[in-house]
Amino acid sequence: NITMARGMSMNIQQHPVLPPNTLLAEYQCRLKEAMPEGHVYSDIFSIRAPPVDVSTDEELNEITKLCANAFLHTPAFGWELFLVNVTKGKWQWRQAFNDFDEGSEMGIWKVIKRTPSEVLMEWHDTLSGQTGHTYIAMHIPPKMEDGRPSPAGSQLSFGSSIITKKPLLDTLTTMHEYYSRMLLAQTLNTMRMYTAASASDEPTSK
């Protein structure tokens, strides 16, 4: 069973550089190599999440899948998907639940790499000629010696990278950063609703 305790405040941190051991950092380097003349923008935001009780990679994979689906069903991402549908003229809505296996697609997003704790999606915009990545990850620290989840809690991260023909305007960068913070906060709230609903569905012992 995967459980998530309640608590933690909405304190969102923006990392000054991409952590080097993440899929986002690895594939950002590949973008630069593929388009050396392009301009690359990247960022990653993290928020402390409640302690999560997982014991295996399979359970970690399930909680990461839960994170990705929570992201997919936030109100903010719903508007983004709507705008993508309008501009593309091809309507594709969110599935009730997505496994986020490598190769799976949603709109202009395609899952290109997965680890038990990370989901990396790539997207292409043929109208603007832009390419980028969307990244979701859940970091869970090792358990305590008595087997309980670490009181430090887990860390939910959301990151982006984009390569453009011209540098992004400061206004667009500021808007993107605000949007990323909103997405991350809504993702955590949606995860809490998922886990609360799952807990209420569990049979109670008599």
Side-chain angles (χ1 to χ4, degrees):
N1 292 332
I2 300 172
T3 59
M4 175 179 285
R6 297 182 63 84
M8 300 295 177
S9 61
M10 290 291 184
N11 184 17
I12 298 175
Q13 173 190 5
Q14 181 176 6
H15 298 267
V17 295
L18 296 184
N21 57 339
T22 61
L23 291 178
L24 184 61
E26 175 186 346
Y27 278 77
Q28 179 199 352
C29 292
R30 297 189 184 189
L31 270 183
K32 290 180 178 179
E33 293 173 357
M35 298 180 65
E37 73 284 358
H39 298 268
V40 177
Y41 168 85
S42 60
D43 60 32
I44 188 166
F45 297 84
S46 296
I47 188 171
R48 286 188 67 195
V52 179
D53 186 4
V54 296
S55 301
T56 65
D57 279 349
E58 288 76 15
E59 290 182 339
L60 178 56
N61 183 69
E62 288 299 312
I63 198 67
T64 303
K65 190 190 304 183
L66 182 71
C67 296
N69 275 281
F71 164 83
L72 196 68
H73 288 84
T74 57
F77 184 77
W79 278 107
E80 183 175 356
L81 184 59
F82 173 77
L83 292 175
V84 168
N85 285 332
V86 169
T87 57
K88 297 298 180 184
K90 179 181 178 181
W91 297 92
Q92 183 174 5
W93 299 107
R94 297 173 286 195
Q95 302 174 16
F97 197 79
N98 193 311
D99 284 333
F100 286 91
D101 295 325
E102 289 186 13
S104 61
E105 298 183 25
M106 169 57 64
I108 62 173
W109 292 268
K110 180 179 181 179
V111 180
I112 59 171
K113 192 68 176 179
R114 281 280 271 117
T115 71
S117 62
E118 300 169 287
V119 176
L120 184 69
M121 294 177 281
E122 188 172 71
W123 55 267
H124 301 280
D125 186 346
T126 54
L127 294 178
S128 65
Q130 297 176 347
T131 298
H133 295 112
T134 299
Y135 174 77
I136 305 164
M138 173 63 91
H139 173 70
I140 301 175
K143 288 186 175 184
M144 300 170 59
E145 292 183 359
D146 60 6
R148 291 181 298 164
S150 170
S154 50
Q155 179 175 276
L156 176 64
S157 298
F158 169 71
S160 306
S161 67
I162 180 173
I163 187 164
T164 61
K165 296 178 181 178
K166 296 180 180 179
L168 291 178
L169 298 175
D170 291 341
T171 303
L172 292 177
T173 300
T174 300
M175 290 174 60
H176 169 77
E177 291 176 354
Y178 175 81
Y179 177 64
S180 296
R181 292 175 183 273
M182 180 171 59
L183 268 175
L184 191 55
Q186 289 185 1
T187 298
L188 183 57
N189 279 331
T190 305
M191 284 180 63
R192 285 170 170 161
M193 289 190 291
Y194 281 174
T195 54
S198 176
S200 64
D201 289 341
E202 291 182 358
T204 55
S205 57
K206 296 183 179 179

